[in-house]
Amino acid sequence: MNLRLPKLKNESGFTLIELLVVVIVISALSGIVVSMINTGGFRDKARDAQRIADLKQVQTALELYFSDFRQYPDSGSGAWIRVTGSDNMSTALAPIYINTIPLDSEATGTDSDACNNPENSRYNYRSDGNDYILTAIMSVDTSNDESTCDALNTWGSACSGGYPTQDFCYGVENP
C-alpha cells in the first residue's frame, strides 16, 4: 500500500517568503507615500498647537501683572503692536512675570495689526490698560476653531467684519 500523495507536475503559487517580501515592499512604499502627502499638515498643526500654548503662557503672565498693578501693560493708546520681545508688553512682563516672551517660530513680515495679512505669522497685542487682546495668526485655518478672534468680547472695536485674517486668527483676552 502506497501512502504517498501523487506529485503534481505543474505546481503553481507563491512561497511564504515571496509573499512576505511583497507585503514588506508594499507597506514600505505606502508609508513613504503617506509621509510625503501630509508632511506639511502635521508640522503646521504642531506649530499651531505651540502658538496656542504660547498665548496661554503670556496670558498667565498678563494676569500676574494685573494682580500687582490693577491694569494690563498698555500697547500705546490701545493700538495693535507686534510681539517682538522688545515691545511695551514684553518689557513689562519679562523677566518678572515670565522668563522670556515666546515668539512665533515662523514670524514673518512686520505687521502689527492682527486684522491684516494672514500669510504672515506673528503674535499681536492690543490693550488700553483695562482690557487686552492677544492673537496669533495660525497656519491651518481650522486651528483657530477653539477661540476665533471675532468671538472675543472686545473684538468688535478691533477689526470690522470680513477681515482677511478671519479664518486664521486665534485670540485670547482678559477673563
Side-chain angles (χ1 to χ4, degrees):
M1 183 168 193
N2 191 359
L3 297 176
R4 289 185 183 195
L5 293 174
K7 277 191 166 183
L8 299 175
K9 292 185 180 184
N10 292 329
E11 290 184 27
S12 63
F14 297 106
T15 66
L16 183 58
I17 299 295
E18 291 171 329
L19 288 173
L20 286 174
V21 167
V22 169
V23 168
I24 289 170
V25 167
I26 289 174
S27 62
L29 288 175
S30 66
I32 291 170
V33 168
V34 167
S35 67
M36 289 172 58
I37 289 174
N38 203 1
T39 303
F42 292 132
R43 288 186 186 138
D44 288 343
K45 287 295 261 182
R47 282 188 205 102
D48 287 348
Q50 183 61 51
R51 289 178 178 115
I52 291 169
D54 287 349
L55 291 191
K56 293 192 187 263
Q57 191 177 20
V58 173
Q59 187 177 28
T60 300
L62 284 165
E63 295 307 322
L64 291 171
Y65 181 92
F66 184 83
S67 69
D68 285 347
F69 296 102
R70 306 309 299 158
Q71 66 178 15
Y72 298 103
D74 193 342
S75 62
S77 303
W80 285 108
I81 60 172
R82 183 171 182 243
V83 178
T84 61
S86 59
D87 56 86
N88 294 354
M89 183 215 40
S90 299
T91 55
L93 298 180
I96 298 168
Y97 300 99
I98 188 171
N99 286 337
T100 58
I101 298 293
L103 302 175
D104 193 318
S105 63
E106 290 193 314
T108 54
T110 58
D111 297 302
S112 58
D113 188 343
C115 308
N116 298 321
N117 294 330
E119 300 84 24
N120 294 346
S121 299
R122 74 232 178 234
Y123 299 151
N124 293 108
Y125 175 74
R126 178 181 174 165
S127 176
D128 60 1
N130 298 318
D131 299 306
Y132 71 84
I133 299 175
L134 185 62
T135 67
I137 303 301
M138 300 300 206
S139 296
V140 179
D141 61 354
T142 56
S143 295
N144 71 337
D145 289 350
E146 178 187 328
S147 181
T148 59
C149 289
D150 56 0
L152 301 174
N153 295 328
T154 56
W155 186 256
S157 62
C159 294
S160 58
Y163 55 98
T165 59
Q166 186 170 2
D167 292 335
F168 298 93
C169 186
Y170 175 90
V172 295
E173 65 185 344
N174 53 306

